[in-house]
Amino acid sequence: MAKLPKETPVVLIMAGGKGERFWPRSRTNSPKQLQKVYSNKTLLKETIDRALTITSLDRIYIGTNATLKAEILKKDPKFPSGNFIIEPEGKNTAPIIALSALYFQKKYGNPNLIVLSADAFIDPVKEFTKTIEQALFETENGMVLLGVKPNRPEVGYGYISTGKPTDVGYTVKAFFEKPDFKTALKYIKKKNFYWNPGIFLFRTETILSELERHAPHILGPLKNGFPFKNFGDLKSAFQMLPSEAIDTAIMEKSNRIRMVEATFNWDDVGSWMSLERILPGDKEKNHHQGKEVHYHKASGNISSVQKELITFLGVKDLIVVEEPDVLLITSREGVGDIKAMLSNMRKNKVLQKYLD
């Protein structure tokens, strides 16, 4: 077995998303990663605290935009103000990871880089730490991702199929994007199929080498201008880049991929529906976040409110979210249209202030 690298890894937390599916708590200038969703900490703070179990604060970086950097430092003034990788515009995950790798190579040499998203539910933390420590063994052999054993036929996640065992994980045979329900049912019955939670580990030189090989259209404009003399030059370089996920740009093309099975519980906190999997529920499958709640002939409801008491009488499958200025009431079926609703609201000048 390879020796566990002794140096402290660098962690990149991806925190640039809009989080529209968590409106009205998530707004353009203060999206869900800066909100308290399932605990008394923001999603980003939950992620930072997890990262502190595997590295030191000075080696944790946040990938985001300039506006959100200011908001992040308002909420967490103790976070190092210089530890941000700022993207001029959102171009999915491949460009920001490429830019970060160039920066970390210049600053640290060839460190282990761990990429996390700022909007995941992970429990218990000690199992997260143990899994990451195990996965670091594999970075000497290539790029590593974690895999989560599915417990339901989820159509909103990507899947990984594994091959032969390695020192602490498996080789990766193939990636499968969001399947339909029937296909997802087949996947969860297979022992070698896992959810892809988007947690990556690799040596900086490894990811840059694979970007050079499989995605020169992304690495090239960044590498040619790096280190950028000013933000305007970086902005010009970003305008040349496609919007592409690291999964399709690199992971699905490389033959240097390993997977390590996660021993923790994981959930993508993607929409209000995810609260039913995170919050405790009653026998009628009602899930509540707030002070007091009372149900009478009510089932399948999800609520996150600020009132002293909310009551559900004779209703089922409702989602109720209360903010100081907005009350959202939707059905489970309707919540999938929240982005379309927000797009429609943006056309109304009176309503725009409730979005930003």
Side-chain angles (χ1 to χ4, degrees):
M1 181 180 287
K3 291 183 179 180
L4 181 64
K6 292 182 179 179
E7 77 273 15
T8 307
V10 176
V11 172
L12 173 67
I13 300 173
M14 312 289 278
K18 295 180 180 179
E20 289 185 322
R21 288 182 293 169
F22 260 96
W23 184 86
R25 187 156 303 157
S26 179
R27 311 287 176 98
T28 301
N29 296 322
S30 191
K32 70 174 180 180
Q33 56 268 32
L34 302 186
Q35 301 299 326
K36 298 173 183 178
V37 174
Y38 60 78
S39 74
N40 61 358
K41 300 178 185 177
T42 67
L43 291 177
L44 178 57
K45 183 59 175 170
E46 289 274 1
T47 309
I48 291 171
D49 286 352
R50 279 195 295 271
L52 284 171
T53 70
I54 52 178
T55 192
S56 53
L57 184 61
D58 62 304
R59 293 171 82 92
I60 298 174
Y61 289 77
I62 297 173
T64 190
N65 58 59
T67 300
L68 291 188
K69 173 185 176 180
E71 287 298 314
I72 290 167
L73 290 174
K74 277 184 187 178
K75 290 181 179 289
D76 190 359
K78 293 182 179 180
F79 189 82
S81 60
N83 284 24
F84 286 84
I85 307 295
I86 301 298
E87 53 183 355
E89 58 180 305
K91 288 286 183 89
N92 214 313
T93 54
I96 187 69
I97 288 176
L99 177 63
S100 300
L102 288 168
Y103 178 82
F104 297 142
Q105 183 187 52
K106 185 174 186 296
K107 185 173 178 65
Y108 298 109
N110 185 29
N112 269 311
L113 172 58
I114 302 168
V115 180
L116 307 175
S117 65
D119 56 359
F121 170 78
I122 289 175
D123 184 70
V125 173
K126 65 179 182 179
E127 291 299 322
F128 164 81
T129 308
K130 186 172 77 172
T131 302
I132 292 293
E133 289 174 347
Q134 286 293 301
L136 285 171
F137 279 111
E138 291 283 11
T139 60
E140 304 307 305
N141 301 313
M143 296 184 294
V144 185
L145 46 81
L146 301 190
V148 175
K149 204 63 182 168
N151 57 17
R152 64 183 186 276
E154 177 60 62
V155 299
Y157 299 165
Y159 289 73
I160 308 160
S161 68
T162 58
K164 296 178 180 179
T166 61
D167 284 346
V168 296
Y170 301 91
T171 59
V172 172
K173 290 175 65 176
F175 292 86
F176 301 89
E177 284 308 308
K178 301 172 182 178
D180 57 34
F181 186 78
K182 187 177 180 180
T183 304
L185 275 174
K186 293 180 181 178
Y187 287 171
I188 66 172
K189 293 177 182 177
K190 297 178 181 291
K191 291 183 179 180
N192 68 325
F193 269 64
Y194 296 81
W195 284 333
N196 181 2
I199 298 175
F200 307 106
L201 305 89
F202 30 65
R203 287 283 188 181
T204 303
E205 287 183 3
T206 304
I207 185 62
L208 289 173
S209 173
E210 292 297 282
L211 282 163
E212 189 84 65
R213 180 179 180 185
H214 299 291
H217 58 293
I218 292 174
L219 182 62
L222 295 173
K223 188 176 180 181
N224 292 340
F226 191 86
F228 293 93
K229 294 180 180 178
N230 55 64
F231 195 68
D233 290 344
L234 176 60
K235 187 174 181 180
S236 297
F238 251 70
Q239 289 174 346
M240 301 169 62
L241 306 180
S243 180
E244 191 168 357
I246 195 68
D247 307 71
T248 55
I250 302 296
M251 299 297 171
E252 295 177 8
K253 299 173 182 176
S254 177
N255 60 1
R256 300 181 65 192
I257 307 292
R258 304 290 180 94
M259 192 213 79
V260 173
E261 182 175 343
T263 57
F264 51 81
N265 298 314
W266 170 88
D267 205 297
D268 173 29
V269 186
S271 75
W272 290 112
M273 288 290 291
S274 61
L275 291 189
E276 71 176 345
R277 299 187 297 270
I278 297 171
L279 300 178
D282 65 9
K283 63 181 181 180
E284 297 299 328
K285 298 182 179 179
N286 295 298
H287 301 264
H288 175 67
Q289 183 183 57
K291 295 182 180 177
E292 296 293 336
V293 63
H294 181 72
Y295 304 104
H296 186 81
K297 296 182 180 179
S299 63
N301 299 292
I302 301 170
S303 52
S304 179
V305 300
Q306 300 179 24
K307 289 283 189 293
E308 291 290 327
L309 169 68
I310 181 172
T311 63
F312 289 84
L313 172 60
V315 294
K316 64 178 182 178
D317 298 339
L318 290 183
I319 298 173
V320 180
V321 181
E322 180 197 17
E323 290 296 297
D325 58 342
V326 176
L327 178 65
L328 169 69
I329 304 173
T330 178
S331 65
R332 285 171 175 259
E333 292 77 12
V335 76
D337 291 327
I338 196 166
K339 284 190 175 183
M341 182 187 74
L342 297 183
S343 178
N344 209 17
M345 288 173 64
R346 284 202 179 278
K347 299 173 185 177
N348 187 326
K349 292 183 179 179
V350 176
L351 300 180
Q352 285 181 7
K353 66 179 181 179
Y354 301 108
L355 306 177
D356 298 331

